[in-house]
Amino acid sequence: MAKVGAVLVIGGGIAGIQASIDLADSGYKVYLAESTTSIGGVMSQLDKTFPTNDCAICILAPKLVQTGRHENIEILINSSIEKIEGAPGHFKVDLTQRTLRLDQEKCTGCGLCAQQCPIEAIDLFNEKLSNIAAISVKFPQAVPLVFSINKDKCIGCGICKGICKAKAIDYDLQDKLITLDVGAVVLAIGFDEYDPTPLTELGYGKHLNVITSIEFERILSASGPHSGLILRPSDGTIPKKIAFLHCVGSRDRKHRKDYCSSVCCMYTTKEAVIAKEHMNIIEPTIFTMDIRAYGKDFDKYIDRAKDEYGVRYIRRRISSIKEIPDSKDLIVCYETKNGKIIKEIFNLVVLSVGMEPNQKANELAQKLDIQLNEYGFCKTCTFSPVETSRSGIYVCGSFATPKDIPETVIEASAAAGCVNILLSEARNKLVTKKELPEELDVSDQPPRIGVFICHCGINIGGVVDVPNVVEYVKTLPNVVYAEHNLYTCSADTQTNIKEKIKKNNLNRVIVASCTPRTHEPLFQATIREVGLNKYLFEMVNIRDQCSWVHMHEPEKATAKSKDLLRMSVAKASQLIPLQEQEISVINKGLVIGGGVSGMTAALNLASQGYEIFLVEKEDSLGGIAKNIYRTLENDDVQEYLKILIKNIESNQLIHVFKNAQINGISGYIGNFSTNISYGNNGKIIDLEHGIIIVATGAKEYQPKEYHFGKDQRIITQTQFEKDLFTSDKIKGLKSIVMIQCVGSRNDDFPYCSRVCCSEAIKNALKAKEINPNIEIIILYRDIRTYGFKEKYYNFARDKKVIFIRYEEVEPPELKIKNKELKIIVTNPDLGKLEINPDLIVLSTGLVAPIKENEELAKMLKVPLNEDKFFLEAHVKLRPIDFATDGIYLCGCAHSPKDIRESIAQSNGAAAQAVKILSSEKLVTSGLVAVVIEENCIGCGSCVEVCQFNAIELIEKERAFEDFTMPIMKSYVNPALCKGCGTCGAQCPNSTIVIKHFGFEQIHAMISALLIQS
Amino acid sequence: MSKSKKKVDKKNFHPNILCFCCNWCSYAGADLAGVSRFQYPSTIRILRVMCSGRVDPAFILEAFKDGIDGVIVTGCHIGDCHYLKGNEFARDRFERFKEVLKIFNLDKRFKLEWVSASEGKRFAEVITEFTNKIKNLGPLQAL
Ligand code: FES
């Protein structure tokens, strides 16, 4: 049976969104099933994101729109899965789409109904902190933007039905059963926040001023219940002292939550910092066990929170909270370092709640016949992190393990990458491509502008005098036609617009309605369907900028609408058709680095039929994994590596170059050329390829500390692991001390290497297994066994591994006297301790190969971060790609990570790369910068500001009377230009034209502003 | 036009203000102000560009030359720019440009502000505040 080129993605949070986009971009039809009425998930509720304090909705909204408008993605809101049958490649899935009690096709999202609805319901998006109407949209930026009726609240009064001009409301609409044929399924159902009500000692639900972190997040949000003012629930005052309690519903064996939720340490810090930013009088205190800032640049964020924002961290777990009846303030009791009990009063307590499995996980697992793990999350394996127990069904995001947004995005791409392997033969079978008529050549015609002005029901028409504006617009130069529509965006108006274009020979079109951010592509597509270049379109936002914000000043709103239209007509008169260029693609890839990451990416792409060049600087494949025997979860790494290498070497499409060195890289997306020398005698070869994957890995830090290298009893974790797994050296030992964070989290290497805690615990457990009586003491600063790794931390403590914490300012000291090893460690609670081990194991960090990375970064023209790891395009939402198109990143080259995470990111990188490799041609945008060469003085200031490597200086011959001379001219590569226009503004000679936002066009708008209507 | 040199009473003065918004954050913030019905003075006319980095100081000079009473450039918060650093270049550029404006005594009529997509309310506040400031300054006298 032929495989079906369609995929069902279940869950519309950031994981589902990313997986859908990746799959749809690489040639599959995607059904995105979401259980609520909008995609966006938890991320849409967040105010800011760590560690950059990016505004969450700013970065998410474009993705929402992209998903909503993607021609290969069909979003099925309000739906749930009923059953699934079939096998990988061809599943049949039944799902129910619950009725919204209105017709989604007809609803324009204008929101009139909600304004008139007399019934209030609780706003779940705002975590029940405010109310909304019984007919509502989930949040203002919702996609799709449709309203729905809360059937428990609706009294059926009929007001909304009466007022809806689009006639969308139909109380009697029934649930729908949908059957889909798909080749694969991706699960991205996310998590639930832990509900702390059962922890009665904390008083959540009883004390008004004890709230959860997600509630606090909404309070922080500018679009939250108090518009970003931080007011506490009991009396609406500003809480000066706020306590955050960590690990509520996490790392709690008593309540059977013995995993770490991975994100709370960071989001709490973020909330504390943002609270402080909002209101400087706030004094945040965080009660914590360990600070698990294990991700890229996380430790720096914590340091800033402490040093710049004065966030106070206290290492205590709080087990109970008391309320002061009159003031509703809260008393938190804890013990100080010297054993004194302190009672501190706080005005607000925020519980940092953990991630729980989605409450629907169980039911879904049964319906899909997949296994869950002991905690109720989806079961996966180390070497196949995005595969469920049923083949053809994949998982990503926090349904697999608790995780933050970048890792979720990585896994979503990884899931897409693995679907690619399964379904590549069915690629492009089910996607639709519209047949479009030839473009009309209107470049020589004088402008004939048509203007369509929208009433938006009464949203615009109720305030702005639309007919009057239409009459006014008709008087403007070059306008040959103008009309008004009830809804300009409705399907019948699109037909009407097309007819009017033809009938009146229009060659420029303006729509005055809502925001171009959501609706411009729709109208552009409409005019393109009758042969007009899509850039001959302009949009004016008279709803969000006139009727809605000047509601009580109809005359001024009308006058402003006229002004905006006049400006737009001025620009439209200057519009010219823009050409999108096609560039060819070499369907081969270059993977730099032959470790697990590079090999995984190479294999993924080769299994889809693409030729891959894999270059490795050493004489054998395997990278750092060659030193790892088992994972913390006891998977056999060496065995896995053996198979992986065999698969690589036997694959005809993969060309491995060992002992290789890269001499130079040129070209751009689709068309790179790389010169390498390889082999024992440095043979030189040029490789032509369309994409590059950087998988250069990291290396182990070679310690200078603790007499390393001078005494055989002082070794690194890697050496220790080798001894454990390949010799019986440790049999005779009595006592081992492990020292954590050697070469990590210090001034030279101010970041966490992420893997060392797990390494230490893994090796400690192995040592205990070999020799149960051995004493093992781990000296640590924080134990960072995030996610399910926490289980092994607990194991180790059960097995009597001793953990002693030290602080950065007082690291353990080593003394060797009469051949005896002596470690002196200072614990903040216990004071100074002395240990006499027979072996000292240093948990050394992972460091970037600085010189190599710097060289490669220069050749690729991509940035490194302060720690010399490669810096991705966007820390939160683009963790796999660089700002420069066609170059991707995976594994430890990005930041330290374990095998499981490296495999995920590598499959994700392959998923990004295959979007390019699988396309015959790439289409550039028309919105680009173009240099007018004769005026260019070759100063290079444009090159400096361009973040996308789109501009370079090219040597040109300049002929004078009797001699020629080389001069430099700037050139913008349209394949790389993003059209931001920064170079245009920076050019001292104003000789860069920014298409569609050109100097004349903008100037025309400015001059039109003041000509009075 | 506002170029008249007559004494105008500031109360009834309805200034003409040009507001540049970048497509990704501040324009979205203006949209959110709309969706949330945050009211602000009808004095501004928004001109959308892709990034605040696109805004050439020459545009602002042109605007003042034409007699526009105030110009406000808005973009994503530093670090949030959709094109990574467009707003940083805009910031640096306008820092220098302010010195030029000072010479013509126009610096008070110009402002650079960052507004995120979730700051609908703030957008309204920024515009209200700037409008009040321009109202206080009175109409722009011909250059
Ligand atoms: S995109 Fe908003 S400032 Fe650059």
Side-chain angles (χ1 to χ4, degrees), chain A residues 54 58 115 222 515 517 541 548-551 560 563 986 997 1003 1010, chain B residues 16 27 31 37 39-40 44-45 48 54 62 66 80 83 93 117-118:
Chain A
D54 259 314
C58 295
Q115 283 187 321
T515 174
R517 289 174 54 253
N541 187 348
W548 276 354
V549 290
H550 314 309
M551 256 158 58
K560 182 171 172 186
D563 285 358
Q986 204 78 5
F997 294 93
H1003 191 214
L1010 271 193
Chain B
N16 286 304
Y27 195 91
D31 281 350
R37 316 295 200 272
Q39 305 295 299
Y40 56 80
I44 63 148
R45 307 289 178 260
R48 180 175 67 108
R54 168 64 190 120
E62 290 296 334
D66 285 351
D80 284 4
Y83 306 99
R93 195 184 295 146
S118 67

mmCIF file of all heavy atoms in Angstrom, chain A residues 54 58 115 222 515 517 541 548-551 560 563 986 997 1003 1010, chain B residues 16 27 31 37 39-40 44-45 48 54 62 66 80 83 93 117-118:
data_model
loop_
_atom_site.group_PDB
_atom_site.id
_atom_site.type_symbol
_atom_site.label_atom_id
_atom_site.label_comp_id
_atom_site.label_asym_id
_atom_site.label_seq_id
_atom_site.Cartn_x
_atom_site.Cartn_y
_atom_site.Cartn_z
ATOM 1 N N ASP A 54 12.471 37.918 26.328
ATOM 2 C CA ASP A 54 11.685 38.189 25.129
ATOM 3 C C ASP A 54 10.213 38.193 25.496
ATOM 4 O O ASP A 54 9.774 37.380 26.296
ATOM 5 C CB ASP A 54 11.875 37.027 24.130
ATOM 6 C CG ASP A 54 12.841 37.364 23.036
ATOM 7 O OD1 ASP A 54 12.716 38.459 22.497
ATOM 8 O OD2 ASP A 54 13.699 36.522 22.721
ATOM 9 N N CYS A 58 5.005 38.405 21.351
ATOM 10 C CA CYS A 58 5.663 39.033 20.193
ATOM 11 C C CYS A 58 6.310 37.991 19.300
ATOM 12 O O CYS A 58 6.298 38.105 18.085
ATOM 13 C CB CYS A 58 6.778 39.975 20.624
ATOM 14 S SG CYS A 58 6.228 41.385 21.534
ATOM 15 N N GLN A 115 -19.223 41.924 22.849
ATOM 16 C CA GLN A 115 -19.511 43.211 23.490
ATOM 17 C C GLN A 115 -20.947 43.303 23.952
ATOM 18 O O GLN A 115 -21.249 43.978 24.928
ATOM 19 C CB GLN A 115 -19.233 44.337 22.501
ATOM 20 C CG GLN A 115 -17.769 44.610 22.370
ATOM 21 C CD GLN A 115 -17.523 45.833 21.528
ATOM 22 O OE1 GLN A 115 -18.204 46.062 20.532
ATOM 23 N NE2 GLN A 115 -16.566 46.620 21.933
ATOM 24 N N ALA A 222 1.132 42.388 30.380
ATOM 25 C CA ALA A 222 0.520 43.674 30.032
ATOM 26 C C ALA A 222 -0.920 43.480 29.567
ATOM 27 O O ALA A 222 -1.740 44.379 29.660
ATOM 28 C CB ALA A 222 1.338 44.356 28.939
ATOM 29 N N THR A 515 -5.993 44.674 10.318
ATOM 30 C CA THR A 515 -4.532 44.744 10.316
ATOM 31 C C THR A 515 -3.882 43.910 9.203
ATOM 32 O O THR A 515 -4.256 42.761 8.992
ATOM 33 C CB THR A 515 -3.954 44.320 11.686
ATOM 34 O OG1 THR A 515 -2.534 44.263 11.585
ATOM 35 C CG2 THR A 515 -4.471 42.963 12.135
ATOM 36 N N ARG A 517 -1.169 42.581 9.371
ATOM 37 C CA ARG A 517 -0.413 41.485 9.965
ATOM 38 C C ARG A 517 -1.156 40.172 9.825
ATOM 39 O O ARG A 517 -0.541 39.111 9.761
ATOM 40 C CB ARG A 517 -0.111 41.783 11.429
ATOM 41 C CG ARG A 517 0.913 42.894 11.590
ATOM 42 C CD ARG A 517 1.120 43.287 13.029
ATOM 43 N NE ARG A 517 1.444 42.133 13.833
ATOM 44 C CZ ARG A 517 0.614 41.578 14.697
ATOM 45 N NH1 ARG A 517 -0.568 42.089 14.901
ATOM 46 N NH2 ARG A 517 0.993 40.524 15.369
ATOM 47 N N ASN A 541 -5.298 50.279 8.060
ATOM 48 C CA ASN A 541 -5.956 49.706 9.228
ATOM 49 C C ASN A 541 -6.839 50.749 9.910
ATOM 50 O O ASN A 541 -6.406 51.459 10.809
ATOM 51 C CB ASN A 541 -4.873 49.196 10.184
ATOM 52 C CG ASN A 541 -5.446 48.426 11.343
ATOM 53 O OD1 ASN A 541 -6.655 48.441 11.579
ATOM 54 N ND2 ASN A 541 -4.577 47.751 12.075
ATOM 55 N N TRP A 548 -11.755 51.686 16.666
ATOM 56 C CA TRP A 548 -11.657 51.077 17.993
ATOM 57 C C TRP A 548 -10.947 51.954 19.020
ATOM 58 O O TRP A 548 -11.184 51.842 20.210
ATOM 59 C CB TRP A 548 -10.957 49.714 17.899
ATOM 60 C CG TRP A 548 -11.918 48.617 17.525
ATOM 61 C CD1 TRP A 548 -13.271 48.720 17.398
ATOM 62 C CD2 TRP A 548 -11.598 47.257 17.244
ATOM 63 N NE1 TRP A 548 -13.806 47.513 17.047
ATOM 64 C CE2 TRP A 548 -12.807 46.599 16.938
ATOM 65 C CE3 TRP A 548 -10.399 46.533 17.210
ATOM 66 C CZ2 TRP A 548 -12.857 45.239 16.620
ATOM 67 C CZ3 TRP A 548 -10.451 45.179 16.886
ATOM 68 C CH2 TRP A 548 -11.665 44.541 16.599
ATOM 69 N N VAL A 549 -10.047 52.805 18.565
ATOM 70 C CA VAL A 549 -9.297 53.599 19.539
ATOM 71 C C VAL A 549 -9.820 55.032 19.660
ATOM 72 O O VAL A 549 -9.358 55.786 20.507
ATOM 73 C CB VAL A 549 -7.781 53.603 19.244
ATOM 74 C CG1 VAL A 549 -7.193 52.238 19.535
ATOM 75 C CG2 VAL A 549 -7.492 54.009 17.814
ATOM 76 N N HIS A 550 -10.744 55.379 18.763
ATOM 77 C CA HIS A 550 -11.373 56.705 18.892
ATOM 78 C C HIS A 550 -12.885 56.506 18.880
ATOM 79 O O HIS A 550 -13.618 57.173 18.149
ATOM 80 C CB HIS A 550 -10.936 57.634 17.747
ATOM 81 C CG HIS A 550 -9.464 57.607 17.498
ATOM 82 N ND1 HIS A 550 -8.528 57.776 18.506
ATOM 83 C CD2 HIS A 550 -8.740 57.410 16.363
ATOM 84 C CE1 HIS A 550 -7.304 57.689 17.984
ATOM 85 N NE2 HIS A 550 -7.411 57.458 16.697
ATOM 86 N N MET A 551 -13.323 55.541 19.661
ATOM 87 C CA MET A 551 -14.714 55.113 19.689
ATOM 88 C C MET A 551 -15.696 56.257 19.940
ATOM 89 O O MET A 551 -16.807 56.257 19.442
ATOM 90 C CB MET A 551 -14.888 54.087 20.809
ATOM 91 C CG MET A 551 -14.980 52.684 20.314
ATOM 92 S SD MET A 551 -14.552 51.501 21.585
ATOM 93 C CE MET A 551 -15.641 51.838 22.845
ATOM 94 N N LYS A 560 -9.508 60.849 10.439
ATOM 95 C CA LYS A 560 -8.249 60.106 10.450
ATOM 96 C C LYS A 560 -8.262 59.012 9.391
ATOM 97 O O LYS A 560 -7.250 58.773 8.717
ATOM 98 C CB LYS A 560 -8.020 59.513 11.842
ATOM 99 C CG LYS A 560 -6.715 58.760 11.969
ATOM 100 C CD LYS A 560 -6.441 58.385 13.423
ATOM 101 C CE LYS A 560 -5.244 57.470 13.554
ATOM 102 N NZ LYS A 560 -5.067 56.995 14.932
ATOM 103 N N ASP A 563 -7.355 60.581 6.228
ATOM 104 C CA ASP A 563 -5.919 60.871 6.171
ATOM 105 C C ASP A 563 -5.119 59.613 5.843
ATOM 106 O O ASP A 563 -4.239 59.619 4.986
ATOM 107 C CB ASP A 563 -5.431 61.417 7.521
ATOM 108 C CG ASP A 563 -5.867 62.860 7.730
ATOM 109 O OD1 ASP A 563 -6.505 63.420 6.812
ATOM 110 O OD2 ASP A 563 -5.577 63.417 8.810
ATOM 111 N N GLN A 986 20.998 53.059 6.766
ATOM 112 C CA GLN A 986 22.375 53.245 7.214
ATOM 113 C C GLN A 986 23.262 53.815 6.102
ATOM 114 O O GLN A 986 24.262 54.458 6.377
ATOM 115 C CB GLN A 986 22.933 51.894 7.698
ATOM 116 C CG GLN A 986 24.075 52.010 8.687
ATOM 117 C CD GLN A 986 23.579 52.354 10.080
ATOM 118 O OE1 GLN A 986 22.386 52.420 10.340
ATOM 119 N NE2 GLN A 986 24.499 52.611 10.997
ATOM 120 N N PHE A 997 9.275 49.697 0.496
ATOM 121 C CA PHE A 997 9.382 50.714 1.533
ATOM 122 C C PHE A 997 10.463 51.706 1.114
ATOM 123 O O PHE A 997 11.334 52.079 1.881
ATOM 124 C CB PHE A 997 9.702 50.079 2.891
ATOM 125 C CG PHE A 997 8.578 49.226 3.406
ATOM 126 C CD1 PHE A 997 8.543 47.860 3.151
ATOM 127 C CD2 PHE A 997 7.521 49.790 4.112
ATOM 128 C CE1 PHE A 997 7.495 47.083 3.591
ATOM 129 C CE2 PHE A 997 6.468 49.011 4.555
ATOM 130 C CZ PHE A 997 6.452 47.655 4.294
ATOM 131 N N HIS A 1003 8.229 58.789 1.486
ATOM 132 C CA HIS A 1003 8.127 60.237 1.435
ATOM 133 C C HIS A 1003 6.767 60.685 0.906
ATOM 134 O O HIS A 1003 6.166 61.633 1.405
ATOM 135 C CB HIS A 1003 9.253 60.826 0.588
ATOM 136 C CG HIS A 1003 9.336 62.306 0.736
ATOM 137 N ND1 HIS A 1003 9.708 63.146 -0.267
ATOM 138 C CD2 HIS A 1003 9.025 63.089 1.789
ATOM 139 C CE1 HIS A 1003 9.632 64.400 0.156
ATOM 140 N NE2 HIS A 1003 9.233 64.378 1.410
ATOM 141 N N LEU A 1010 -0.249 65.836 5.409
ATOM 142 C CA LEU A 1010 -0.693 67.168 5.802
ATOM 143 C C LEU A 1010 -1.672 67.848 4.849
ATOM 144 O O LEU A 1010 -2.249 68.858 5.187
ATOM 145 C CB LEU A 1010 0.515 68.081 6.007
ATOM 146 C CG LEU A 1010 1.080 68.058 7.420
ATOM 147 C CD1 LEU A 1010 2.032 69.202 7.607
ATOM 148 C CD2 LEU A 1010 -0.023 68.104 8.463
ATOM 149 N N ASN B 16 -0.559 67.368 14.335
ATOM 150 C CA ASN B 16 -0.366 66.276 13.379
ATOM 151 C C ASN B 16 0.904 65.537 13.749
ATOM 152 O O ASN B 16 1.982 66.124 13.734
ATOM 153 C CB ASN B 16 -0.220 66.837 11.966
ATOM 154 C CG ASN B 16 -1.537 67.312 11.434
ATOM 155 O OD1 ASN B 16 -2.504 66.552 11.382
ATOM 156 N ND2 ASN B 16 -1.604 68.583 11.080
ATOM 157 N N TYR B 27 3.724 47.785 15.869
ATOM 158 C CA TYR B 27 2.478 47.780 15.093
ATOM 159 C C TYR B 27 1.497 46.794 15.718
ATOM 160 O O TYR B 27 0.304 47.054 15.825
ATOM 161 C CB TYR B 27 2.753 47.402 13.634
ATOM 162 C CG TYR B 27 1.602 47.727 12.702
ATOM 163 C CD1 TYR B 27 1.532 48.952 12.049
ATOM 164 C CD2 TYR B 27 0.571 46.822 12.496
ATOM 165 C CE1 TYR B 27 0.466 49.267 11.215
ATOM 166 C CE2 TYR B 27 -0.506 47.133 11.666
ATOM 167 C CZ TYR B 27 -0.551 48.349 11.020
ATOM 168 O OH TYR B 27 -1.613 48.657 10.207
ATOM 169 N N ASP B 31 -2.143 47.332 17.318
ATOM 170 C CA ASP B 31 -3.293 46.465 17.055
ATOM 171 C C ASP B 31 -3.954 46.035 18.355
ATOM 172 O O ASP B 31 -5.169 45.994 18.468
ATOM 173 C CB ASP B 31 -2.845 45.206 16.292
ATOM 174 C CG ASP B 31 -2.648 45.481 14.807
ATOM 175 O OD1 ASP B 31 -3.034 46.574 14.349
ATOM 176 O OD2 ASP B 31 -2.108 44.596 14.116
ATOM 177 N N ARG B 37 -9.542 48.171 22.859
ATOM 178 C CA ARG B 37 -10.280 49.444 22.890
ATOM 179 C C ARG B 37 -9.652 50.465 23.836
ATOM 180 O O ARG B 37 -10.347 51.225 24.487
ATOM 181 C CB ARG B 37 -11.755 49.256 23.297
ATOM 182 C CG ARG B 37 -12.510 48.104 22.664
ATOM 183 C CD ARG B 37 -12.661 48.279 21.164
ATOM 184 N NE ARG B 37 -13.741 47.472 20.619
ATOM 185 C CZ ARG B 37 -13.620 46.199 20.207
ATOM 186 N NH1 ARG B 37 -12.454 45.591 20.295
ATOM 187 N NH2 ARG B 37 -14.644 45.551 19.710
ATOM 188 N N GLN B 39 -8.349 53.815 24.423
ATOM 189 C CA GLN B 39 -8.538 55.050 23.665
ATOM 190 C C GLN B 39 -7.300 55.933 23.778
ATOM 191 O O GLN B 39 -6.683 56.000 24.841
ATOM 192 C CB GLN B 39 -9.765 55.791 24.193
ATOM 193 C CG GLN B 39 -11.031 54.947 24.205
ATOM 194 C CD GLN B 39 -11.493 54.541 22.810
ATOM 195 O OE1 GLN B 39 -11.800 55.404 21.989
ATOM 196 N NE2 GLN B 39 -11.523 53.242 22.517
ATOM 197 N N TYR B 40 -6.951 56.571 22.683
ATOM 198 C CA TYR B 40 -5.878 57.556 22.727
ATOM 199 C C TYR B 40 -6.195 58.680 21.746
ATOM 200 O O TYR B 40 -7.087 58.509 20.906
ATOM 201 C CB TYR B 40 -4.506 56.908 22.490
ATOM 202 C CG TYR B 40 -4.324 56.112 21.211
ATOM 203 C CD1 TYR B 40 -4.063 56.736 20.005
ATOM 204 C CD2 TYR B 40 -4.372 54.711 21.237
ATOM 205 C CE1 TYR B 40 -3.877 55.996 18.844
ATOM 206 C CE2 TYR B 40 -4.192 53.967 20.072
ATOM 207 C CZ TYR B 40 -3.947 54.604 18.884
ATOM 208 O OH TYR B 40 -3.764 53.881 17.732
ATOM 209 N N ILE B 44 -2.363 60.801 15.899
ATOM 210 C CA ILE B 44 -1.259 60.154 15.187
ATOM 211 C C ILE B 44 -1.712 59.449 13.917
ATOM 212 O O ILE B 44 -2.831 58.957 13.816
ATOM 213 C CB ILE B 44 -0.504 59.123 16.056
ATOM 214 C CG1 ILE B 44 -1.434 57.983 16.455
ATOM 215 C CG2 ILE B 44 0.164 59.750 17.230
ATOM 216 C CD1 ILE B 44 -0.716 56.673 16.604
ATOM 217 N N ARG B 45 -0.793 59.440 12.989
ATOM 218 C CA ARG B 45 -0.981 58.685 11.753
ATOM 219 C C ARG B 45 0.163 57.682 11.703
ATOM 220 O O ARG B 45 1.328 58.091 11.691
ATOM 221 C CB ARG B 45 -0.906 59.608 10.531
ATOM 222 C CG ARG B 45 -1.830 60.809 10.592
ATOM 223 C CD ARG B 45 -3.295 60.391 10.430
ATOM 224 N NE ARG B 45 -4.197 61.515 10.538
ATOM 225 C CZ ARG B 45 -4.888 61.816 11.655
ATOM 226 N NH1 ARG B 45 -4.747 61.077 12.749
ATOM 227 N NH2 ARG B 45 -5.703 62.839 11.666
ATOM 228 N N ARG B 48 3.649 52.216 8.660
ATOM 229 C CA ARG B 48 4.259 50.928 8.983
ATOM 230 C C ARG B 48 5.495 50.686 8.133
ATOM 231 O O ARG B 48 5.467 50.875 6.918
ATOM 232 C CB ARG B 48 3.247 49.812 8.719
ATOM 233 C CG ARG B 48 3.739 48.412 8.998
ATOM 234 C CD ARG B 48 2.614 47.404 8.820
ATOM 235 N NE ARG B 48 2.205 47.325 7.422
ATOM 236 C CZ ARG B 48 2.466 46.277 6.620
ATOM 237 N NH1 ARG B 48 3.100 45.235 7.095
ATOM 238 N NH2 ARG B 48 2.063 46.285 5.374
ATOM 239 N N ARG B 54 14.638 50.536 9.563
ATOM 240 C CA ARG B 54 14.407 51.115 8.238
ATOM 241 C C ARG B 54 14.321 52.641 8.291
ATOM 242 O O ARG B 54 14.479 53.313 7.297
ATOM 243 C CB ARG B 54 13.097 50.549 7.656
ATOM 244 C CG ARG B 54 12.567 51.264 6.397
ATOM 245 C CD ARG B 54 13.544 51.089 5.255
ATOM 246 N NE ARG B 54 13.303 51.882 4.064
ATOM 247 C CZ ARG B 54 14.169 52.765 3.581
ATOM 248 N NH1 ARG B 54 15.287 53.023 4.212
ATOM 249 N NH2 ARG B 54 13.929 53.391 2.456
ATOM 250 N N GLU B 62 12.184 65.393 6.609
ATOM 251 C CA GLU B 62 11.138 65.670 5.615
ATOM 252 C C GLU B 62 9.824 65.984 6.309
ATOM 253 O O GLU B 62 9.118 66.917 5.943
ATOM 254 C CB GLU B 62 10.936 64.452 4.699
ATOM 255 C CG GLU B 62 12.077 64.169 3.739
ATOM 256 C CD GLU B 62 12.285 65.291 2.733
ATOM 257 O OE1 GLU B 62 11.317 66.023 2.439
ATOM 258 O OE2 GLU B 62 13.428 65.452 2.253
ATOM 259 N N ASP B 66 7.742 69.402 6.090
ATOM 260 C CA ASP B 66 6.363 69.482 5.609
ATOM 261 C C ASP B 66 5.444 70.149 6.635
ATOM 262 O O ASP B 66 4.301 70.447 6.333
ATOM 263 C CB ASP B 66 5.819 68.078 5.312
ATOM 264 C CG ASP B 66 6.398 67.520 4.024
ATOM 265 O OD1 ASP B 66 7.067 68.287 3.308
ATOM 266 O OD2 ASP B 66 6.169 66.336 3.745
ATOM 267 N N ASP B 80 14.445 42.200 21.112
ATOM 268 C CA ASP B 80 13.269 41.548 20.525
ATOM 269 C C ASP B 80 13.143 41.746 19.021
ATOM 270 O O ASP B 80 12.222 41.227 18.414
ATOM 271 C CB ASP B 80 11.982 42.104 21.148
ATOM 272 C CG ASP B 80 11.729 41.563 22.544
ATOM 273 O OD1 ASP B 80 12.590 40.823 23.035
ATOM 274 O OD2 ASP B 80 10.686 41.884 23.127
ATOM 275 N N TYR B 83 14.501 41.286 13.250
ATOM 276 C CA TYR B 83 15.691 41.180 12.413
ATOM 277 C C TYR B 83 16.954 41.289 13.262
ATOM 278 O O TYR B 83 17.972 41.821 12.831
ATOM 279 C CB TYR B 83 15.663 42.259 11.330
ATOM 280 C CG TYR B 83 14.395 42.232 10.525
ATOM 281 C CD1 TYR B 83 13.355 43.114 10.799
ATOM 282 C CD2 TYR B 83 14.204 41.281 9.529
ATOM 283 C CE1 TYR B 83 12.169 43.070 10.079
ATOM 284 C CE2 TYR B 83 13.036 41.226 8.809
ATOM 285 C CZ TYR B 83 12.019 42.118 9.079
ATOM 286 O OH TYR B 83 10.848 42.070 8.381
ATOM 287 N N ARG B 93 21.599 55.383 15.691
ATOM 288 C CA ARG B 93 21.443 56.390 14.650
ATOM 289 C C ARG B 93 20.703 57.609 15.207
ATOM 290 O O ARG B 93 21.098 58.743 14.990
ATOM 291 C CB ARG B 93 20.635 55.756 13.529
ATOM 292 C CG ARG B 93 20.652 56.465 12.234
ATOM 293 C CD ARG B 93 19.725 55.739 11.272
ATOM 294 N NE ARG B 93 20.157 54.390 10.944
ATOM 295 C CZ ARG B 93 19.290 53.382 10.708
ATOM 296 N NH1 ARG B 93 17.989 53.568 10.786
ATOM 297 N NH2 ARG B 93 19.754 52.188 10.397
ATOM 298 N N ALA B 117 4.436 43.655 21.473
ATOM 299 C CA ALA B 117 3.136 43.244 20.942
ATOM 300 C C ALA B 117 2.108 43.042 22.039
ATOM 301 O O ALA B 117 0.916 42.990 21.776
ATOM 302 C CB ALA B 117 3.294 41.962 20.129
ATOM 303 N N SER B 118 2.551 42.913 23.277
ATOM 304 C CA SER B 118 1.571 42.698 24.349
ATOM 305 C C SER B 118 1.274 43.996 25.086
ATOM 306 O O SER B 118 0.499 44.026 26.018
ATOM 307 C CB SER B 118 2.088 41.647 25.323
ATOM 308 O OG SER B 118 3.210 42.151 26.005
#
